[in-house]
Amino acid sequence: IELFRQHITRRIIIYILESGTCGSNDIVMHTKKVPSTISWHLSKLSDANIINVDKQNEFEYYEIGINKSKLQDLLSKYTSSFTEKTVDDYIDMMNEF
């Protein structure tokens, strides 16, 4: 549940939902976050079996790993609060230094 409340994680999930399959560079460009931040979020999503990782040569591609309608229901049910968003924004700002 905590993954669905994190702003960046939600953006990643929605982007993968809309794109179908995408690489980490695509996600970095879409979110405008540093690769290490995206890698951390992708790792958490993969560990939770929300996304699947397909390794091809030296590249990794990501796609949704659970039922898409169930995922959309979870996204709409678990949104971040104002406080969580403020904390997430602060953490993102500190990670960019």
Side-chain angles (χ1 to χ4, degrees), residues 7-67:
H7 176 69
I8 299 302
T9 304
R10 290 176 64 82
R11 287 183 60 195
I12 292 169
I13 292 170
I14 292 168
Y15 181 72
I16 296 172
L17 265 172
E18 292 172 348
S19 300
T21 302
C22 57
S24 59
N25 287 338
D26 300 325
I27 298 168
V28 167
M29 289 190 315
H30 175 73
T31 60
K32 296 179 176 52
K33 299 295 177 188
V34 296
S36 60
T37 299
I38 299 305
S39 177
W40 186 88
H41 286 282
L42 290 171
S43 175
K44 295 297 180 188
L45 289 168
S46 177
D47 291 346
N49 295 315
I50 296 171
I51 62 170
N52 292 328
V53 182
D54 181 25
K55 295 182 181 183
Q56 297 178 9
N57 299 323
E58 70 268 1
F59 299 104
E60 292 182 344
Y61 296 94
Y62 303 91
E63 62 186 8
I64 298 301
I66 64 174
N67 179 284

Side-chain angles (χ1 to χ4, degrees), residues 1 10 56 71 78 88-89:
I1 294 173
R10 290 176 64 82
Q56 297 178 9
L71 179 59
Y78 300 107
D88 286 345
D89 289 346

